[in-house]
Amino acid sequence: MKKILFVGLIIILSLVFRSIKVEASDDYNGFDEVVMESGKLLENFTDAEYNEYYSYVDKRKFWGWNVHIVNDKVPCTYIARTVYETTNDGTEEINYEVSVTTETEVRTIINASGSISYGLSGSVKKFKNDLDAEVDLEYKYQITEGKQRTEKIKIPVEGKTKLLVTVTGQGYVTNGVASLYMFWINVEKGGFEYFTITSEYQKIEKVAI
C-alpha cells in the first residue's frame, strides 16, 4: 500500500511541475523574419500536422520519452530587428555616419508547445526531464565568446533612397514532437524546437523609394 502511495505521489508531483514554464527574453519568434530552406517553425505547425506527428509518439512505455523529429538541422537565415533606418527624401546625396557591429557567436534558443516543460539555468532556458539527451542534438545553449568589432562608417545615400541597418544572421532549426511517460502514464506531450544561431551581424542596405 505504501509503495502504491509513493508511486502515486511521484506521478502527481510530475503532473504539477510539468506545467511550470519560465519565460526568457531571448525569443526568436519575435524576429522580423525567419526563412528556412525547408519545413517550418514550431509556431507554424497546424493542428492537422500535430495530430499526424503525435501518432509517432503515442506508444505507451514504462518510463521515458518518445521523440519524433520533423525538421532536422534545417539551415535558415533571419532578420532579428532593424537598428537604424533613415530616408533621404531629397535629390542630393547625403552622407550618414553609422556604427556597425560584426560578431560571430554560437548559441541555441528553445521553444516548446503543449505541456513540454522548460526552466531557467542562470539566464539560459533549457528543457527539463532530460529531453535534450533523448533528442541527442549537439548544441550550445550559452553564448560562446567570438570576435566582435564595432566601427563607424560613412555611407552615401542617394536621393529618394532609404538606408536600413538590420541585425541579420544564419543558423539552423531542429524541431519535432515528444511525449514523456512515467509508469505508463503520459505526463508531458507537445512540440519542441531548437533554434541554433551560428553567426549574427549587422547588414547595411539601401532601398530606392
Short mmCIF file of all heavy atoms in Angstrom, two decimals, residues 8-22 65 114-120 126-129 180 182 186-189:
data_model
loop_
_atom_site.label_atom_id
_atom_site.label_comp_id
_atom_site.label_asym_id
_atom_site.label_seq_id
_atom_site.Cartn_x
_atom_site.Cartn_y
_atom_site.Cartn_z
N GLY A 8 2.13 6.97 -6.59
CA GLY A 8 1.10 7.97 -6.90
C GLY A 8 1.57 9.37 -6.62
O GLY A 8 1.28 10.31 -7.38
N LEU A 9 2.33 9.56 -5.53
CA LEU A 9 2.85 10.89 -5.18
C LEU A 9 3.82 11.38 -6.25
O LEU A 9 3.80 12.55 -6.63
CB LEU A 9 3.54 10.82 -3.82
CG LEU A 9 4.17 12.14 -3.32
CD1 LEU A 9 3.09 13.20 -3.17
CD2 LEU A 9 4.88 11.91 -2.00
N ILE A 10 4.67 10.49 -6.75
CA ILE A 10 5.62 10.87 -7.80
C ILE A 10 4.89 11.34 -9.04
O ILE A 10 5.23 12.36 -9.64
CB ILE A 10 6.55 9.68 -8.13
CG1 ILE A 10 7.48 9.39 -6.95
CG2 ILE A 10 7.36 9.98 -9.39
CD1 ILE A 10 8.36 8.18 -7.17
N ILE A 11 3.87 10.61 -9.42
CA ILE A 11 3.10 10.97 -10.62
C ILE A 11 2.41 12.32 -10.43
O ILE A 11 2.42 13.18 -11.32
CB ILE A 11 2.06 9.89 -10.94
CG1 ILE A 11 2.78 8.58 -11.33
CG2 ILE A 11 1.13 10.34 -12.06
CD1 ILE A 11 1.85 7.41 -11.51
N ILE A 12 1.82 12.55 -9.27
CA ILE A 12 1.13 13.83 -9.00
C ILE A 12 2.11 14.98 -9.07
O ILE A 12 1.83 16.03 -9.66
CB ILE A 12 0.43 13.78 -7.62
CG1 ILE A 12 -0.75 12.80 -7.68
CG2 ILE A 12 -0.06 15.17 -7.23
CD1 ILE A 12 -1.37 12.52 -6.33
N LEU A 13 3.28 14.82 -8.44
CA LEU A 13 4.29 15.88 -8.47
C LEU A 13 4.74 16.15 -9.90
O LEU A 13 4.95 17.31 -10.28
CB LEU A 13 5.48 15.49 -7.60
CG LEU A 13 5.24 15.50 -6.09
CD1 LEU A 13 6.46 14.96 -5.36
CD2 LEU A 13 4.90 16.91 -5.60
N SER A 14 4.87 15.09 -10.68
CA SER A 14 5.28 15.27 -12.08
C SER A 14 4.24 16.07 -12.84
O SER A 14 4.55 16.95 -13.63
CB SER A 14 5.48 13.92 -12.76
OG SER A 14 6.48 13.18 -12.12
N LEU A 15 2.97 15.79 -12.60
CA LEU A 15 1.89 16.49 -13.29
C LEU A 15 1.82 17.95 -12.87
O LEU A 15 1.47 18.83 -13.66
CB LEU A 15 0.55 15.80 -13.00
CG LEU A 15 0.39 14.41 -13.62
CD1 LEU A 15 -0.87 13.75 -13.10
CD2 LEU A 15 0.35 14.50 -15.14
N VAL A 16 2.17 18.22 -11.61
CA VAL A 16 2.13 19.60 -11.11
C VAL A 16 3.26 20.42 -11.71
O VAL A 16 3.07 21.49 -12.27
CB VAL A 16 2.20 19.63 -9.57
CG1 VAL A 16 2.42 21.07 -9.09
CG2 VAL A 16 0.92 19.06 -8.97
N PHE A 17 4.48 19.88 -11.63
CA PHE A 17 5.65 20.65 -12.04
C PHE A 17 5.82 20.74 -13.55
O PHE A 17 6.49 21.62 -14.03
CB PHE A 17 6.91 20.05 -11.41
CG PHE A 17 7.04 20.35 -9.96
CD1 PHE A 17 6.88 19.35 -9.02
CD2 PHE A 17 7.27 21.64 -9.52
CE1 PHE A 17 6.99 19.63 -7.66
CE2 PHE A 17 7.38 21.93 -8.16
CZ PHE A 17 7.23 20.91 -7.23
N ARG A 18 5.19 19.86 -14.30
CA ARG A 18 5.36 19.92 -15.74
C ARG A 18 4.75 21.18 -16.33
O ARG A 18 5.15 21.62 -17.40
CB ARG A 18 4.72 18.70 -16.41
CG ARG A 18 3.22 18.70 -16.33
CD ARG A 18 2.61 17.59 -17.16
NE ARG A 18 1.17 17.63 -17.07
CZ ARG A 18 0.37 17.03 -17.92
NH1 ARG A 18 0.86 16.38 -18.93
NH2 ARG A 18 -0.94 17.10 -17.76
N SER A 19 3.77 21.78 -15.67
CA SER A 19 3.08 22.93 -16.24
C SER A 19 3.78 24.25 -15.94
O SER A 19 3.36 25.30 -16.41
CB SER A 19 1.65 23.01 -15.68
OG SER A 19 1.67 23.21 -14.29
N ILE A 20 4.86 24.21 -15.16
CA ILE A 20 5.57 25.44 -14.79
C ILE A 20 6.60 25.77 -15.86
O ILE A 20 7.50 25.00 -16.13
CB ILE A 20 6.27 25.28 -13.43
CG1 ILE A 20 5.23 25.00 -12.34
CG2 ILE A 20 7.07 26.53 -13.08
CD1 ILE A 20 5.83 24.72 -10.99
N LYS A 21 6.45 26.92 -16.50
CA LYS A 21 7.39 27.36 -17.52
C LYS A 21 7.89 28.75 -17.16
O LYS A 21 7.15 29.57 -16.66
CB LYS A 21 6.74 27.39 -18.90
CG LYS A 21 6.36 26.01 -19.44
CD LYS A 21 5.85 26.10 -20.84
CE LYS A 21 5.54 24.72 -21.41
NZ LYS A 21 5.08 24.79 -22.81
N VAL A 22 9.14 28.98 -17.42
CA VAL A 22 9.75 30.27 -17.13
C VAL A 22 10.03 30.96 -18.45
O VAL A 22 10.70 30.41 -19.32
CB VAL A 22 11.06 30.11 -16.35
CG1 VAL A 22 11.66 31.47 -16.02
CG2 VAL A 22 10.81 29.30 -15.08
N TRP A 65 10.98 9.03 -22.79
CA TRP A 65 10.47 9.84 -23.89
C TRP A 65 10.26 9.02 -25.16
O TRP A 65 11.04 8.12 -25.47
CB TRP A 65 11.45 10.96 -24.23
CG TRP A 65 11.53 12.07 -23.24
CD1 TRP A 65 12.46 12.22 -22.25
CD2 TRP A 65 10.67 13.21 -23.16
NE1 TRP A 65 12.23 13.38 -21.55
CE2 TRP A 65 11.13 14.01 -22.09
CE3 TRP A 65 9.55 13.64 -23.87
CZ2 TRP A 65 10.52 15.21 -21.72
CZ3 TRP A 65 8.94 14.82 -23.52
CH2 TRP A 65 9.42 15.60 -22.46
N GLY A 114 2.39 22.70 -26.10
CA GLY A 114 1.75 21.65 -25.30
C GLY A 114 2.21 21.72 -23.86
O GLY A 114 2.38 22.80 -23.30
N SER A 115 2.47 20.56 -23.26
CA SER A 115 2.84 20.52 -21.85
C SER A 115 4.32 20.22 -21.63
O SER A 115 4.74 19.94 -20.51
CB SER A 115 2.01 19.46 -21.12
OG SER A 115 2.17 18.19 -21.72
N ILE A 116 5.14 20.28 -22.69
CA ILE A 116 6.57 20.07 -22.51
C ILE A 116 7.15 21.23 -21.70
O ILE A 116 6.90 22.40 -22.00
CB ILE A 116 7.28 19.96 -23.87
CG1 ILE A 116 6.88 18.63 -24.52
CG2 ILE A 116 8.79 20.05 -23.71
CD1 ILE A 116 7.57 18.36 -25.84
N SER A 117 7.91 20.91 -20.69
CA SER A 117 8.35 21.92 -19.73
C SER A 117 9.81 22.30 -19.90
O SER A 117 10.62 21.52 -20.40
CB SER A 117 8.12 21.43 -18.29
OG SER A 117 8.80 20.23 -18.06
N TYR A 118 10.11 23.51 -19.49
CA TYR A 118 11.48 24.01 -19.51
C TYR A 118 11.64 24.98 -18.35
O TYR A 118 10.66 25.42 -17.74
CB TYR A 118 11.83 24.68 -20.83
CG TYR A 118 10.85 25.74 -21.28
CD1 TYR A 118 10.88 27.03 -20.76
CD2 TYR A 118 9.89 25.45 -22.24
CE1 TYR A 118 9.97 27.99 -21.17
CE2 TYR A 118 8.99 26.41 -22.67
CZ TYR A 118 9.04 27.68 -22.13
OH TYR A 118 8.13 28.63 -22.53
N GLY A 119 12.87 25.33 -18.04
CA GLY A 119 13.14 26.26 -16.95
C GLY A 119 14.43 27.01 -17.23
O GLY A 119 15.09 26.79 -18.24
N LEU A 120 14.77 27.90 -16.33
CA LEU A 120 15.98 28.70 -16.49
C LEU A 120 17.13 28.13 -15.67
O LEU A 120 16.97 27.79 -14.50
CB LEU A 120 15.73 30.15 -16.05
CG LEU A 120 14.89 31.02 -16.98
CD1 LEU A 120 14.75 32.42 -16.41
CD2 LEU A 120 15.52 31.10 -18.37
N LYS A 126 16.34 25.98 -20.65
CA LYS A 126 16.64 24.61 -21.03
C LYS A 126 15.43 23.72 -20.80
O LYS A 126 14.61 23.97 -19.93
CB LYS A 126 17.81 24.07 -20.19
CG LYS A 126 19.15 24.75 -20.44
CD LYS A 126 20.26 24.08 -19.66
CE LYS A 126 21.61 24.72 -19.93
NZ LYS A 126 22.70 24.04 -19.20
N PHE A 127 15.35 22.64 -21.59
CA PHE A 127 14.29 21.66 -21.39
C PHE A 127 14.54 20.86 -20.11
O PHE A 127 15.68 20.65 -19.70
CB PHE A 127 14.22 20.69 -22.57
CG PHE A 127 13.66 21.29 -23.81
CD1 PHE A 127 14.43 21.38 -24.96
CD2 PHE A 127 12.37 21.78 -23.85
CE1 PHE A 127 13.93 21.94 -26.12
CE2 PHE A 127 11.85 22.34 -25.00
CZ PHE A 127 12.63 22.42 -26.14
N LYS A 128 13.45 20.40 -19.50
CA LYS A 128 13.53 19.57 -18.30
C LYS A 128 13.38 18.09 -18.65
O LYS A 128 13.05 17.74 -19.78
CB LYS A 128 12.45 19.99 -17.29
CG LYS A 128 12.65 21.40 -16.73
CD LYS A 128 11.56 21.71 -15.69
CE LYS A 128 11.78 23.08 -15.06
NZ LYS A 128 10.73 23.40 -14.06
N ASN A 129 13.59 17.25 -17.64
CA ASN A 129 13.37 15.81 -17.74
C ASN A 129 14.21 15.14 -18.83
O ASN A 129 13.78 14.16 -19.45
CB ASN A 129 11.88 15.51 -17.96
CG ASN A 129 11.02 15.96 -16.80
OD1 ASN A 129 11.38 15.76 -15.65
ND2 ASN A 129 9.89 16.58 -17.10
N LEU A 180 6.32 12.16 -22.87
CA LEU A 180 7.04 11.57 -21.74
C LEU A 180 6.09 10.69 -20.93
O LEU A 180 4.98 11.13 -20.57
CB LEU A 180 7.60 12.67 -20.84
CG LEU A 180 8.28 12.22 -19.54
CD1 LEU A 180 9.51 11.37 -19.84
CD2 LEU A 180 8.66 13.43 -18.68
N MET A 182 5.64 8.15 -17.52
CA MET A 182 6.10 7.71 -16.21
C MET A 182 5.11 6.70 -15.68
O MET A 182 3.92 7.03 -15.52
CB MET A 182 6.23 8.89 -15.24
CG MET A 182 7.31 9.90 -15.62
SD MET A 182 7.43 11.25 -14.41
CE MET A 182 8.80 12.20 -15.09
N ASN A 186 1.11 9.17 -19.48
CA ASN A 186 1.64 10.29 -20.26
C ASN A 186 1.59 11.57 -19.41
O ASN A 186 0.53 12.06 -19.07
CB ASN A 186 0.82 10.49 -21.54
CG ASN A 186 1.35 11.59 -22.42
OD1 ASN A 186 0.59 12.30 -23.05
ND2 ASN A 186 2.66 11.74 -22.48
N VAL A 187 2.77 12.09 -19.05
CA VAL A 187 2.84 13.27 -18.19
C VAL A 187 3.26 14.54 -18.93
O VAL A 187 3.09 15.64 -18.40
CB VAL A 187 3.79 13.02 -16.99
CG1 VAL A 187 3.24 11.91 -16.10
CG2 VAL A 187 5.21 12.70 -17.45
N GLU A 188 3.85 14.40 -20.11
CA GLU A 188 4.19 15.56 -20.94
C GLU A 188 4.00 15.19 -22.41
O GLU A 188 4.33 14.09 -22.83
CB GLU A 188 5.63 16.03 -20.72
CG GLU A 188 5.90 16.67 -19.39
CD GLU A 188 7.26 17.36 -19.34
OE1 GLU A 188 7.73 17.82 -20.40
OE2 GLU A 188 7.85 17.43 -18.26
N LYS A 189 3.48 16.16 -23.18
CA LYS A 189 3.29 15.91 -24.60
C LYS A 189 3.21 17.24 -25.33
O LYS A 189 2.50 18.15 -24.91
CB LYS A 189 2.01 15.10 -24.83
CG LYS A 189 1.74 14.74 -26.28
CD LYS A 189 0.48 13.90 -26.38
CE LYS A 189 0.15 13.55 -27.81
NZ LYS A 189 -1.09 12.73 -27.88
#
